[in-house]
Amino acid sequence: GSHPMTAPLLASLLLSSLNIFAEVATPQTVTLNNGLVMPKLAFAANVWPAATCRNATHLALDAGFRFVWSSALVHLECQRAQREAISEHPTVRRADLFLAGTVDTQGCATLD
């Protein structure tokens, strides 16, 4: 099994890192053609278990990230966990976020 301090320590380290990145990223934005101002730095999920993905996404929102990147590569369970973290967050509304990601391009390999 894992050491009991592993998850809390990981969460603490992640939150500290996210706070540092959020402070650095705050003034770094780009204005889109439609006038919306979007952060350049995004929080991106990795290939994590669903619980880790959910917690990391929640911590990223707490740290100030408003651009969330996801991908077919992190698998459906992690994407669902990200959606849950976003929809259940107590202070961040979906309308406040920019969401981006990738698709499974292997499924398009036979298309011209």
Side-chain angles (χ1 to χ4, degrees):
S2 64
H3 188 276
M5 286 299 293
T6 303
L9 180 59
L10 177 61
S12 176
L13 291 172
L14 179 61
L15 184 56
S16 296
S17 298
L18 293 175
N19 281 328
I20 291 167
F21 284 124
E23 287 177 23
V24 170
T26 302
Q28 298 183 17
T29 59
V30 61
T31 301
L32 304 176
N33 289 339
N34 63 2
L36 291 176
V37 178
M38 182 178 82
K40 290 181 181 178
L41 185 64
F43 166 76
N46 205 329
V47 181
W48 294 321
T52 302
C53 192
R54 182 180 181 159
N55 291 337
T57 302
H58 184 92
L59 290 171
L61 297 175
D62 284 348
F65 279 85
R66 294 301 178 261
F67 183 8
V68 177
W69 186 271
S70 192
S71 171
L73 300 174
V74 301
H75 306 294
L76 187 57
E77 294 79 19
C78 188
Q79 289 178 315
R80 286 183 176 149
Q82 281 187 293
R83 181 184 68 210
E84 290 171 5
I86 291 167
S87 64
E88 296 172 1
H89 197 278
T91 58
V92 177
R93 299 175 315 132
R94 167 58 187 93
D96 299 330
L97 299 176
F98 291 88
L99 301 177
T102 59
V103 296
D104 177 9
T105 55
Q106 294 301 316
C108 301
T110 61
L111 302 176
D112 290 329

